């Protein structure tokens, strides 16, 4: 049986061959995945990890694709996307238990309906819970790792495990999950009692600030570079004269210099070339080597 048919037979969720990843990244960039799997539950994640391990197929994981630059030639082997099908959000006391594919916006809203707060600072980050925990996404001076009680993982052999937040090595845009390779299938967040009206007001304030300071009218992956210690990558790029720099249809935003925009039909090659130019500018002007915040996927 072909890989495609075997995956179809073993999985409840979606399986597609040659799926264009430009439809699954917020940059709207990326070539095809050989085999694209959207699991309908943790048992699908276990099946696909075992399947890939047994056949020696490369296995790649994504969430909402909001921090990814996928190569124009795409991704070989099996790509697992946690999204639709793994979005359940449950409330138990002041703990919010969420499957890895749920969007942060939905988690904030569901917690608010139970008068639980503590996740408002994430408003406007277009991430899945799994991706946000792996990246230790943050905003407004708070990181998601600060709220994680426990995660449930499926390792590359298909075994289920649990780890507490304290065991995940969270620091600025980092968790040990980035090198571990395990797939986050569920996260328990510890929240605090807060009225839904107050939460709604705060969320609206954060969203307004994003609309004022970020170029949300074009596809992007948010901040491209990490902030160096004690400084901001956006400030450095702007001061080095990087705003408006363009390669093909990729452009450094004039509103927020740490964003690279897809003006329509930009390729991964356009973006990576522009990344190189921006790095060189900042290095020549300030002697600082900017590190990438976005993850590269596929061949570059
Ligand atoms: C407009 C905009 C604004 C943004 N603002 C912010 C911000 O304020 N703060 C911030 O921190 N980020 C921000 N980002 C970046 C991005 O949203 C975060 O990095 C987010 O955490 C990525 O989540 P994701 O689900 O899209 O993950 P993806 O981009 O799909 O994946 C990111 C990484 O996580 C891995 N991964 C994803 N899901 C799983 C899983 N379930 N198990 C194991 N590994 C997994 C992937 O392999 C990849 O290495 C912004 C992006 C955009 C487009």
């Amino acid at each position: 049986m072909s890989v495609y048919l075997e995956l179809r037979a073993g999985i409840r969720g979606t399986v597609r061959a040659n799926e264009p990843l430009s439809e699954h990244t917020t940059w709207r960039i990326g070539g095809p995945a050989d085999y694209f799997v959207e699991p309908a539950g943790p048992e699908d994640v276990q099946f696909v990890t075992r399947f890939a391990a047994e056949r020696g197929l490369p296995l790649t994981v994504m969430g909402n694709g909001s921090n990814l630059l996928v190569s124009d030639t795409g991704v070989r082997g099996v790509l697992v996307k946690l999204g639709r099908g793994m979005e359940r959000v449950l409330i138990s006391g002041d703990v919010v238990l969420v499957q890895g594919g749920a969007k942060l916006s939905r988690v904030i809203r569901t917690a608010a309906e139970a008068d639980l707060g503590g996740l408002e600072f994430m408003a406007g980050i277009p991430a899945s819970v799994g991706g946000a925990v792996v990246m230790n996404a943050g905003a407004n001076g708070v990181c998601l790792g600060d709220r994680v009680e426990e995660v449930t993982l499926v390792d590359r052999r298909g075994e289920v495990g649990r780890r507490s937040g304290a065991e995940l090595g969270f620091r600025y845009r980092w968790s040990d999950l980035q090198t571990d390779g395990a797939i986050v299938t569920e996260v328990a967040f510890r929240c605090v009692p807060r009225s839904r009206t107050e939460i709604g007001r705060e969320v609206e304030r954060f969203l307004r600030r994003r609309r004022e300071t970020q170029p949300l009218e074009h596809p992007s992956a948010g901040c491209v570079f990490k902030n160096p210690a004690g400084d901001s990558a956006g400030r450095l790029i702007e001061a080095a004269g990087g705003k408006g720099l363009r390669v093909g249809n990729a452009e450094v935003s004039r509103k927020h210099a740490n964003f690279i925009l897809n003006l329509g039909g930009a390729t991964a090659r356009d973006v990576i070339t522009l990344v190189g130019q921006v790095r060189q500018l900042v290095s020549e002007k300030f002697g600082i080597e900017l590190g990438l915040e976005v993850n590269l996927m596929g061949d570059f």
Side-chain angles (χ1 to χ4, degrees):
M1 228 192 323
S2 72
V3 169
Y4 174 72
L5 290 177
E6 280 190 69
L7 284 169
R8 283 288 299 263
I11 279 179
R12 269 197 308 128
T14 305
V15 180
R16 295 204 195 101
N18 291 319
E19 175 73 357
L21 294 177
S22 53
E23 290 177 16
H24 300 276
T25 60
T26 55
W27 238 328
R28 298 283 164 235
I29 291 174
D34 291 345
Y35 304 102
F36 173 91
V37 174
E38 209 166 2
E43 63 294 342
D44 277 357
V45 178
Q46 285 184 274
F47 178 88
V48 73
T49 44
R50 284 192 187 130
F51 179 88
E54 280 162 14
R55 282 161 188 72
L57 288 167
L59 181 84
T60 313
V61 188
M62 72 182 289
N64 199 40
S66 64
N67 200 43
L68 292 180
L69 182 60
V70 177
S71 113
D72 298 317
T73 53
V75 177
R76 304 289 70 84
V78 183
L79 183 130
V80 179
K81 171 177 174 168
L82 265 72
R84 274 177 312 158
M86 289 195 61
E87 298 183 307
R88 198 190 56 209
V89 183
L90 293 175
I91 310 274
S92 169
D94 60 358
V95 171
V96 181
L97 194 61
V98 192
Q99 283 187 316
K103 299 252 179 61
L104 286 178
S105 52
R106 182 145 177 263
V107 182
I108 298 168
R109 204 169 48 243
T110 310
E113 282 161 9
D115 293 307
L116 286 176
L119 299 169
E120 302 81 314
F121 69 96
M122 304 296 284
I125 302 184
S128 71
V129 162
V133 169
V134 169
M135 294 303 300
N136 192 17
N140 307 297
V142 192
C143 290
L144 196 55
D146 300 341
R147 302 286 186 266
V148 173
E149 182 91 347
E150 187 179 72
V151 297
T152 305
L153 304 158
V154 172
D155 73 16
R156 291 297 168 115
R157 288 170 291 118
E159 303 297 326
V160 178
R162 289 204 168 74
R163 268 195 262 164
S164 71
E167 290 173 301
L168 295 173
F170 288 119
R171 49 182 199 273
Y172 173 63
R173 299 298 177 267
W174 175 265
S175 74
D176 292 346
L177 296 165
Q178 290 181 25
T179 47
D180 177 295
I183 301 177
V184 176
T185 54
E186 196 165 69
V187 181
F189 294 109
R190 168 83 49 197
C191 289
V192 286
R194 196 175 188 196
S195 86
R196 64 194 75 183
T197 319
E198 246 180 277
I199 295 171
R201 236 182 265 132
E202 177 126 294
V203 163
E204 194 36 56
R205 189 166 62 78
F206 288 143
L207 292 178
R208 197 178 326 116
R209 198 191 303 156
R210 277 181 189 268
R211 286 193 296 269
E212 284 163 7
T213 57
Q214 298 183 351
L216 302 177
E217 59 286 358
H218 287 290
S220 79
C223 289
V224 173
F225 300 98
K226 288 186 182 176
N227 289 327
D231 211 331
S232 125
R235 187 198 75 76
L236 291 165
I237 297 166
E238 181 171 354
K243 275 190 167 176
L245 211 60
R246 182 167 172 170
V247 173
N249 285 321
E251 185 178 86
V252 176
S253 164
R254 292 162 203 273
K255 190 168 180 183
H256 188 317
N258 202 6
F259 277 55
I260 290 182
L261 308 179
N262 178 358
L263 300 180
T267 62
R269 176 175 284 273
D270 291 339
V271 173
I272 205 74
T273 308
L274 191 51
V275 161
Q277 292 184 3
V278 169
R279 269 186 166 152
Q280 195 178 341
L281 259 184
V282 171
S283 166
E284 280 168 4
K285 180 102 178 170
F286 300 108
I288 293 174
E289 305 300 325
L290 290 178
L292 273 185
E293 177 166 329
V294 294
N295 285 249
L296 304 182
M297 197 174 266
D299 275 345
F300 279 91

